[in-house]
Amino acid sequence: MEKTFRILRYDPEKDQEAHFQDYKVPYEKGLTVLEGLYYILENLDATLAFRSSCRAAICGSCAMHINGQYRLACRTQVSALNSDLITVRPLSHLTILKDLVVDLKPFFDNYKKIEPYLQPEKAEPAKEFTQSEKERGKIDKLVDCILCAACYGSCPVASTNPKYLGPQALVAALRFINDSRDGKTQERLAIVANDEGIFRCHTIFNCQQVCPKDIDPTNAILKLRGKSFMSKLTGKI
């Protein structure tokens, strides 16, 4: 049995525009989309370009648009797609470097804007910062983000406004605001509480649907709005 992989191909050094190319891949139980891509690379077309690393849904590098939805290729079983045709495209809203490889610089530039590192209010303790289970619970799900950019690719606002911070950066902002070890809540809220941050989100829920770690960026943005309003009322930002 074979499956047809229809892959968007584009080499800026050779192609005037992107085009699809079909490949026949032998199918066996347990085949993932990533394994299918490797079969093509190793047996059919050594020019195919894509990213991957861990093959365990941890690194986030193999996020792609697969049969109508953004997914991680390494955890997407071909059998679960219920189709003999597997259509693979790169992430949207980002410049294609080659085939399924996109330039993630705008995505990571937005991530850097929210200063994604702990900034303690007090001097560092002699040994370590401590957290209660309740305090840790406030960031439990948020720290699971693997920076795959699937939420960014699915976001219609990001497609029209490159200055929009995007779902992932806003989730990261809440992650640090909720962290009991961080002391820069008001400064972080000032970064995101504007028309390029939490007030630009249209609440489409695309990001919520595609996150491979079941993080809810839409809910995170709503929580940031609530925190921002309270800070405005108290005159802190």
Side-chain angles (χ1 to χ4, degrees), residues 43-95:
N43 298 279
L44 304 177
D45 190 342
T47 69
L48 178 63
F50 58 91
R51 285 192 178 107
S52 74
S53 183
C54 69
R55 302 196 188 198
I58 295 173
C59 73
S61 59
C62 67
M64 306 170 187
H65 190 269
I66 302 169
N67 277 26
Q69 184 168 318
Y70 294 93
R71 316 169 194 260
L72 296 181
C74 68
R75 69 177 292 184
T76 303
Q77 292 283 327
V78 169
S79 60
L81 298 175
N82 296 315
S83 175
D84 291 329
L85 178 63
I86 315 301
T87 303
V88 186
R89 306 168 183 257
L91 294 173
S92 297
H93 322 325
L94 297 162
T95 301

Side-chain angles (χ1 to χ4, degrees), residues 8 83 127 140 150 187 198 236:
L8 190 76
S83 175
K127 291 186 177 181
D140 267 352
E187 291 86 346
I198 55 178
K236 293 182 178 180

Side-chain angles (χ1 to χ4, degrees), residues 17 37 82 98 130 137 139 168 192-193 196 210:
E17 58 184 26
L37 293 175
N82 296 315
K98 186 181 179 185
T130 58
I139 63 172
Q168 186 282 327
V192 302
E196 293 175 1
V210 304

